[in-house]
Amino acid sequence: MKITDAKVLITSPGRNFVTLKIYTDEGIYGLGDATLNGRELAVASYLSEHLIPCLIGRDPFQHEDTWQYFYRGAYWRRGPVTMAALGAIDLALWDIKGKALNTPVYNLLGGKSRTGVMVYGHANGKDLEETVDEVGKYIALGYRAVRAQSGIPGIPSTYGVAKGKFHYEPAEKGLPPENIWSTEKYLLHVPKLFEALRLKFGDDVHLLHDSHHRLSPIEAARLGKSLEPYHLFWLEDAVTAELQEGFRIVRQHTTTPLALGEVFNTIWDAQTVISEQLIDYIRMAPLHAGGLTHLKKVASFAEMYHVLTGCHGATDLSPVSMAAALHFDISVNNFGIQEYMLHTKQTDEVFPHSYHFEAGFLHPGDAPGLGVDYDEKLASTFPYERAYLPVNRKLDGTMFDW
Ligand code: EZ4
Ligand code: CO
């Protein structure tokens, strides 16, 4: 089999998605997600200008070699744009192989290690009471795990606390909006939220929280410690992790499980936090980690250090990414949990898919390949619109961590 062509498709059915479609001489095509939130066209251009010309004529079955060709073979390596482009190619090639062999991708990855993939939903409220109500709605829908984020008294806007509820979208059209942040107010508020949640819902439901890289190590240590009575499933992205050693401080002070890595793109970003057992869950997702080829190596490395997987699965990952994550989740032994934010109805229509939700679990379905298609005609009715994630400033105007 030979790759004959590839094209980059861009659509915006509620938010922007970039999709790579690779064609072969046997009529089979594969799909890869190439969406990098707020930087979409950089990946599109990296693919069309630099990678696609080198793909034509290659055998799609040799995807380990193709991965190494674009990674080891390249002088400029790593980085989110490069690795998202490589991830898109890799996902499309696994999709082609699955379709050609008439089997779901999870069978190529080792088969099913479990009956379903436990997911967590996103409950957001403008204040504590509204967040408690939102968590209740997810529990009523059958979710076993819920991430809870709440607006903070005294801070007018907080990222992740949306106007819309079930279909909230973090990126906004136009130039980046500015949010305001106060670590002091945040640290006082979050333990109250989880105290209220445990009082209302008891001990069984898994509760998660995301700090979005906004704490220093010692602040994260304090938060982790103050949340211990409410036994979180995880505390996510407590600290920015360019300095992986920073997590030593957090780890010395708290038994709250730590999750990290949705913005990482290679194993090198997580080498210290995994090998020193400074985290419990690694959040890298197939697309942004250079595809399934690299992510399965990350999972094997993590397995040696008792670190479980917890793939990023926000709405800025398309259904192609979600499917790839589910094939991975159901097959690896050290799976932990999968993030699941609902896409808009229009997105689900542009990307018809075989995965489905049932009683708190997602199932990848049994369609060959990744089990996702792309309705090009419908997609073309949703043109690209520039959009950005917000930026974040302290109360006194200081530029702060996203
Ligand atoms: O803010 O995907 O855990 N999930 C998250 C997401 C991210 C967005 C950023 O593109 O943190 O909501
Ligand atoms: Co996150």
Side-chain angles (χ1 to χ4, degrees):
M1 200 188 279
K2 292 247 175 308
I3 295 171
T4 50
D5 196 8
K7 66 179 179 192
V8 177
L9 303 157
I10 303 175
T11 183
S12 194
R15 65 148 296 103
N16 293 315
F17 292 110
V18 181
T19 307
L20 176 69
K21 187 167 183 178
I22 298 182
Y23 300 85
T24 65
D25 57 356
E26 293 186 18
I28 294 171
Y29 59 84
L31 295 175
D33 183 17
T35 309
L36 189 61
N37 201 351
R39 299 290 185 271
E40 292 88 357
L41 300 187
V43 183
S45 144
Y46 192 98
L47 278 165
S48 332
E49 299 296 327
H50 305 295
L51 302 192
I52 289 176
C54 307
L55 264 182
I56 314 300
R58 299 181 73 88
D59 177 351
F61 267 48
Q62 311 311 325
H63 42 83
E64 177 72 32
D65 183 68
T66 296
W67 195 93
Q68 302 296 348
Y69 179 87
F70 287 123
Y71 185 87
R72 297 194 78 159
Y75 189 68
W76 304 105
R77 296 180 187 183
R78 303 171 62 192
V81 174
T82 305
M83 295 306 287
L86 181 44
I89 291 175
D90 188 70
L91 297 187
L93 297 185
W94 283 93
D95 191 29
I96 288 172
K97 187 179 268 187
K99 286 172 176 168
L101 299 174
N102 196 30
T103 194
V105 165
Y106 65 74
N107 276 335
L108 307 176
L109 296 170
K112 283 189 185 179
S113 290
R114 54 193 53 79
T115 52
V117 171
M118 184 170 71
V119 298
Y120 69 91
H122 275 222
N124 308 296
K126 63 177 185 319
D127 53 25
L128 191 153
E129 289 73 26
E130 196 176 272
T131 304
V132 172
D133 287 350
E134 291 299 313
V135 170
K137 289 183 194 166
Y138 279 93
I139 295 172
L141 286 169
Y143 283 77
R144 312 291 171 95
V146 189
R147 186 188 98 161
Q149 307 290 128
S150 150
I152 299 156
I155 308 184
S157 60
T158 303
Y159 174 77
V161 178
K163 296 154 223 135
K165 286 287 174 272
F166 270 23
H167 294 105
Y168 98 88
E169 169 47 54
E172 291 185 33
K173 284 166 201 143
L175 296 177
E178 297 206 352
N179 281 345
I180 295 166
W181 179 251
S182 160
T183 298
E184 293 75 14
K185 294 184 196 306
Y186 170 79
L187 288 177
L188 287 169
H189 184 65
V190 177
K192 291 180 193 156
L193 170 65
F194 283 89
E195 182 186 27
L197 288 169
R198 282 293 174 218
L199 270 173
K200 173 107 188 201
F201 301 113
D203 282 325
D204 281 352
V205 63
H206 296 305
L207 296 175
L208 299 81
H209 182 70
D210 192 345
S211 292
H212 287 302
H213 314 107
R214 287 176 183 182
L215 304 175
S216 71
I218 203 68
E219 289 163 349
R222 171 180 153 194
L223 180 61
K225 223 172 176 173
S226 62
L227 291 173
E228 280 170 20
Y230 319 116
H231 54 94
L232 265 58
F233 187 94
W234 79 33
L235 173 62
E236 176 184 339
D237 287 342
V239 181
T240 57
E242 286 96 335
L243 181 68
Q244 295 182 56
E245 293 88 334
F247 270 79
R248 290 178 187 147
I249 294 171
V250 191
R251 198 61 157 175
Q252 279 159 14
H253 289 284
T254 181
T255 57
T256 293
L258 302 172
L260 189 67
E262 67 183 49
V263 299
F264 293 172
N265 45 75
T266 70
I267 187 66
W268 307 107
D269 297 327
Q271 189 190 8
T272 301
V273 288
I274 290 176
S275 64
E276 293 189 19
Q277 302 175 70
L278 304 180
I279 59 169
D280 301 281
Y281 297 91
I282 180 73
R283 301 261 304 128
M284 290 161 75
L287 152 66
H288 297 134
L292 290 164
T293 294
H294 191 58
L295 192 61
K296 66 190 177 76
K297 295 174 189 177
V298 172
S300 299
F301 180 64
E303 189 177 6
M304 287 198 287
Y305 298 99
H306 309 293
V307 174
L308 305 181
T309 69
C311 289
H312 187 210
T315 40
D316 47 321
L317 291 126
S318 89
V320 178
S321 265
M322 179 54 72
L326 294 172
H327 288 278
F328 168 80
D329 297 338
I330 207 147
S331 66
V332 292
N333 178 264
N334 56 326
F335 164 74
I337 200 166
Q338 170 67 49
E339 182 178 18
Y340 179 42
M341 258 171 102
L342 293 177
H343 287 115
T344 61
K345 187 171 158 284
Q346 291 88 337
T347 300
D348 285 337
E349 284 167 2
V350 168
F351 296 92
H353 50 261
S354 70
Y355 64 79
H356 53 277
F357 177 86
E358 209 184 304
F361 291 79
L362 275 172
H363 302 268
D366 293 316
L370 293 173
V372 184
D373 214 338
Y374 188 88
D375 184 335
E376 288 191 47
K377 201 164 157 240
L378 182 61
S380 69
T381 64
F382 303 112
Y384 167 80
E385 290 181 90
R386 181 181 293 117
Y388 291 95
L389 286 160
V391 297
N392 201 27
R393 290 187 189 275
K394 293 191 202 179
L395 286 170
D396 71 355
T398 308
M399 193 68 220
F400 197 50
D401 293 311
W402 191 93

